[in-house]
Amino acid sequence: MNALLQKIVEDTPGARAAILMGFDGIAIDQYVRPEDADTDIEALAMEFSFRFLELRKASESLDLGEVSDITIKAERGAILVRVLNPEFFVATLLADAGHFGKGRWLLRSTAASIASQL
Amino acid sequence: MNALLQKIVEDTPGARAAILMGFDGIAIDQYVRPEDADTDIEALAMEFSFRFLELRKASESLDLGEVSDITIKAERGAILVRVLNPEFFVATLLADAGHFGKGRWLLRSTAASIASQL
């Protein structure tokens, strides 16, 4: 599990950390790049987890169905989220948003492996 | 204004509608593709507007700074959001998420023109 999160971070240019968390805000596992040891990915993902749940509810109530991916790009970072199942998501924090595509692809390609370990 | 929204929809493969809305949920203008006349983009964007505001607040409180883009991919559609300024956003609804990249680029490239008309 941790090896998969580490792989996501190491293979995504600009990635600082990745975390597997429940939509209840409880972290299962995380990997933070050693150079970014001060990154509190858990606090960050926890702060967003309830909001992600709200987005999922809105999507379903609007007949768009289950949300699979959420991306948030901000001034000083970007968050890529992959919903694994109704209970868990994986999130990657990027230092900048330049490599969205690769990060999203990596999240998607490892999502099944991570989900299979839940 | 409407012409810019129309251009976003027409030039984005799979786009059904685009809307300019305030984060208070009040729509300024919208364009719905004639074939998708039953798409209530206003109700959809209104439902999400408050949640987008919550994501922006979380991002700022976590020191990620101002959010510029939000993307939500779901089973039966995708929503691309570009924040124009603290008060307004433009959102595009795609029937499927296959053309994320082009839609995002179009939103970004027309955002300045739209913002200049506010």
Side-chain angles (χ1 to χ4, degrees):
Chain A
M1 176 66 74
N2 198 268
L4 289 168
L5 295 173
Q6 180 172 353
K7 184 179 159 51
I8 291 171
V9 172
E10 287 177 351
D11 291 356
T12 303
R16 292 162 62 183
I19 190 166
L20 167 63
M21 183 174 265
F23 283 100
D24 56 3
I26 296 174
I28 309 299
D29 205 350
Q30 57 185 279
Y31 177 82
V32 178
R33 204 171 58 161
E35 306 92 295
D36 293 302
D38 61 334
T39 298
D40 193 346
I41 182 73
E42 188 170 345
L44 189 143
M46 198 188 302
E47 183 79 21
F48 276 106
S49 60
F50 178 70
R51 278 130 179 141
F52 294 156
L53 199 57
E54 289 292 308
L55 291 179
R56 288 175 57 207
K57 282 185 200 161
S59 174
E60 282 173 62
S61 79
L62 291 161
D63 204 33
L64 291 172
E66 266 287 348
V67 169
S68 60
D69 301 84
I70 301 165
T71 305
I72 300 167
K73 188 183 159 191
E75 277 175 284
R76 290 182 289 281
I79 302 163
L80 308 181
V81 178
R82 175 79 181 176
V83 178
L84 297 180
N85 61 37
E87 279 163 89
F88 297 99
F89 65 91
V90 187
T92 308
L93 174 67
L94 307 188
D96 69 84
H99 301 280
F100 251 48
K102 176 122 194 236
R104 205 161 51 196
W105 177 80
L106 275 164
L107 264 191
R108 198 163 300 170
S109 58
T110 51
S113 306
I114 294 174
S116 73
Q117 294 184 26
L118 287 174
Chain B
M1 177 66 72
N2 198 268
L4 289 168
L5 296 172
Q6 181 172 353
K7 184 179 159 50
I8 291 170
V9 172
E10 287 177 352
D11 291 357
T12 303
R16 291 162 62 183
I19 191 165
L20 168 63
M21 184 175 266
F23 283 100
D24 57 2
I26 295 174
I28 309 298
D29 206 350
Q30 57 185 280
Y31 177 82
V32 178
R33 201 170 61 160
E35 305 91 295
D36 293 301
D38 61 334
T39 298
D40 193 347
I41 181 73
E42 188 170 345
L44 188 143
M46 198 187 302
E47 184 79 20
F48 276 106
S49 60
F50 178 70
R51 277 126 180 147
F52 294 156
L53 199 57
E54 289 292 308
L55 292 178
R56 288 174 58 207
K57 281 184 200 160
S59 174
E60 282 172 62
S61 78
L62 292 161
D63 204 33
L64 292 173
E66 265 287 348
V67 169
S68 60
D69 300 85
I70 301 165
T71 305
I72 300 165
K73 189 182 158 192
E75 278 176 284
R76 289 182 290 281
I79 302 164
L80 308 180
V81 178
R82 174 79 182 177
V83 178
L84 297 180
N85 61 36
E87 279 163 90
F88 297 100
F89 66 91
V90 187
T92 308
L93 174 68
L94 307 188
D96 69 86
H99 301 280
F100 252 49
K102 175 124 195 231
R104 205 160 53 196
W105 177 80
L106 275 165
L107 263 191
R108 198 163 300 170
S109 58
T110 51
S113 307
I114 293 174
S116 73
Q117 294 184 24
L118 286 173

